[in-house]
């Protein structure tokens, strides 16, 4: 897994790839999961296996391994 640096207070955008039964999750449910790892102001759009997430990193600045389901992350 590649590493990605998250900076406190910065906003990010990434593709979220969902598999199997996850594809039927609502965007609100996906957003709740993103919030659980430390993001705030989460917006999730799209449907099916590919969603677009935008969120602000609320925790301290850190470098984390990037899960395979998170693709093309960028600071916005």
């Amino acid at each position: 897994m590649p590493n990605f640096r998250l900076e406190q207070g910065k906003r990010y955008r990434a593709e979220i790839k969902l598999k199997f039964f996850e594809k039927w999750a609502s965007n609100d449910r996906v957003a709740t999961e993103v919030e659980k790892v430390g993001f705030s102001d989460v917006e999730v759009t799209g449907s099916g296996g590919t969603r677009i997430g935008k969120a602000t990193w609320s925790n301290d600045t850190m470098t984390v391994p990037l899960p395979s389901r998170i693709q093309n992350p960028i600071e916005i």
Side-chain angles (χ1 to χ4, degrees), residues 1-6 14-19 22 33-34 37 39 57 63-73:
M1 271 188 260
N3 290 330
F4 190 75
R5 183 172 173 83
L6 295 166
E15 293 177 19
I16 304 168
K17 299 292 185 177
L18 304 177
K19 297 180 181 180
E22 295 173 335
E33 294 301 312
V34 172
V37 298
F39 287 93
W57 182 244
T63 300
V64 298
L66 196 60
S68 61
R69 71 174 49 188
I70 305 300
Q71 299 181 358
N72 305 315

Side-chain angles (χ1 to χ4, degrees), residues 16 18-19 21-37 39 42-48 51-55 69-70:
I16 304 168
L18 304 177
K19 297 180 181 180
F21 295 111
E22 295 173 335
K23 293 178 182 183
W24 288 282
S26 69
N27 287 338
D28 287 339
R29 174 71 177 143
V30 175
T32 297
E33 294 301 312
V34 172
E35 289 171 346
K36 287 180 182 179
V37 298
F39 287 93
V42 179
E43 300 172 34
V44 177
T45 58
S47 62
R51 313 292 173 94
I52 301 298
K54 296 178 184 175
R69 71 174 49 188
I70 305 300

